[in-house]
Amino acid sequence: FDRINAHEIWNQETGIHSRDNISLYIHIPFCKGKCTFCSFCTYPFEQNIAKHYLLALKKEIKLYAKQKYFKNHTIDSIWIGGGTPTTYSSKEIYSILKLILQALPCTDNVEITLETIPKVHSKKLLSLSKIVTKLSVGVQSTDDYYLSMFNRPHTFRDTIEFIENAKNIGYKSINADIIYAKPGETIEHWEKDLTKLTELGFDHISLFSFVPVKGTPIYESIRQGNLPSVCEVSTEWKMFQMAQRILNKKGYSQYTAYYFSKNSTSQF
């Protein structure tokens, strides 16, 4: 990309006199453990490093707040992703959002989405509900076999408990990510996997087809024959079409290629 001039980009994309609303993404690059399929910018959570990252992040937010190109724009959506943002305490997450709301121009009803995993303490969910409006949960599968294969830090039981706790607390919009066309997966297994997920009451479901990225542990396991290969493209397409039918039958409307929502307020 060479050197990037933020002022030039903003002027070209939005126009110096534009007053369009904008969205803000905050990246938290820490996880308790790295998933075998993950190729994103993530690192093991270490308290000291995470502390320094938080300080640097807040400094950067303050620097952006001083830039002219923010003056004509209002933030109507904030997404905190990663990584696993909930590796930070609720107090630390709250401090990030409080700074954004104070330093940057936001709408009164700004939408705040937080990524998390199913294995998170209910007290943290309760605390964050005071400021977070939406949750996006990395479920990935309802089958513990695949959760183990992916090195996910949760079980299907954790997912059940999570959605029950979040609903009881009062979260109105909760997304679940789920992966299909997993190594060795059959159409019958995928149907069972997705059907179990729809029975839990998530407001929104995001579909992701499995992609073995070169350099990841799961890519090497497949290449070496220690795990089954991924299915044919034709089978993957059948899985997607099946998902469309199942989700439609369960009351989910498809509003993008891979996003399904039960109502307009649950769109992510």
Side-chain angles (χ1 to χ4, degrees):
F1 289 112
D2 205 4
R3 290 188 62 83
I4 296 175
N5 186 312
H7 296 274
E8 290 181 1
I9 293 174
W10 277 74
N11 290 344
Q12 291 172 4
E13 295 299 321
T14 64
I16 192 66
H17 300 298
S18 171
R19 293 185 178 276
D20 293 340
N21 285 353
I22 58 175
S23 298
L24 178 66
Y25 174 76
I26 300 292
H27 188 68
I28 305 298
F30 304 111
C31 291
K32 292 296 184 182
K34 198 173 181 74
C35 296
T36 56
F37 60 76
C38 181
S39 60
F40 296 112
C41 179
T42 63
Y43 305 92
F45 182 85
E46 295 182 21
Q47 192 67 51
N48 189 49
I49 295 176
K51 178 182 178 181
H52 285 292
Y53 183 86
L54 184 60
L55 292 173
L57 176 60
K58 291 180 178 180
K59 182 178 180 180
E60 185 173 17
I61 291 170
K62 292 176 182 177
L63 288 173
Y64 269 100
K66 297 177 182 179
Q67 303 305 312
K68 291 182 179 180
Y69 47 72
F70 260 106
K71 302 302 180 183
N72 289 338
H73 301 277
T74 304
I75 298 169
D76 61 9
S77 176
I78 301 170
W79 186 294
I80 301 185
T84 310
T86 47
T87 50
Y88 277 123
S89 68
S90 55
K91 183 178 180 181
E92 289 168 323
I93 296 171
Y94 192 92
S95 70
I96 297 171
L97 291 170
K98 185 177 179 181
L99 175 60
I100 293 171
L101 296 176
Q102 291 176 341
L104 301 175
C106 298
T107 59
D108 293 336
N109 59 340
V110 59
E111 181 182 273
I112 300 175
T113 305
L114 180 70
E115 288 184 6
T116 184
I117 57 174
K119 198 169 185 177
V120 59
H121 203 285
S122 58
K123 288 184 178 180
K124 182 176 285 190
L125 288 178
L126 177 61
S127 178
L128 291 170
S129 67
K130 299 172 184 177
I131 192 168
V132 172
T133 55
K134 293 186 174 183
L135 295 173
S136 184
V137 192
V139 175
Q140 313 310 1
S141 179
T142 65
D143 190 330
D144 288 346
Y145 165 75
Y146 279 107
L147 294 177
S148 178
M149 178 190 294
F150 292 158
N151 194 36
R152 297 295 293 172
H154 68 277
T155 64
F156 181 48
R157 170 52 58 182
D158 293 322
T159 299
I160 295 173
E161 293 178 358
F162 174 91
I163 189 65
E164 289 177 350
N165 289 334
K167 288 292 186 180
N168 288 335
I169 288 170
Y171 285 98
K172 302 298 182 183
S173 188
I174 309 172
N175 168 66
D177 291 345
I178 188 167
I179 298 173
Y180 66 100
K182 301 179 279 290
E185 185 170 45
T186 63
I187 292 178
E188 291 74 22
H189 178 275
W190 167 236
E191 180 179 15
K192 181 179 179 181
D193 199 12
L194 184 60
T195 300
K196 285 172 66 178
L197 184 67
T198 61
E199 292 171 351
L200 298 183
F202 282 96
D203 309 285
H204 186 281
I205 291 177
S206 301
L207 304 180
F208 296 92
S209 62
F210 176 79
V211 178
V213 179
K214 189 176 182 179
T216 58
I218 203 164
Y219 174 91
E220 293 301 321
S221 293
I222 293 172
R223 187 181 66 83
Q224 295 170 13
N226 297 323
L227 284 177
S229 61
V230 296
C231 62
E232 298 291 333
V233 174
S234 58
T235 302
E236 180 184 324
W237 174 240
K238 289 178 181 178
M239 289 181 175
F240 177 71
Q241 290 179 310
M242 175 184 288
Q244 288 178 307
R245 292 193 297 271
I246 292 174
L247 291 172
N248 182 258
K249 187 176 180 180
K250 295 288 186 176
Y252 292 88
S253 299
Q254 182 178 7
Y255 67 97
T256 70
Y258 301 101
Y259 283 12
F260 297 79
S261 175
K262 278 202 169 180
N263 57 70
S264 59
T265 58
S266 294
Q267 293 184 359
F268 276 69

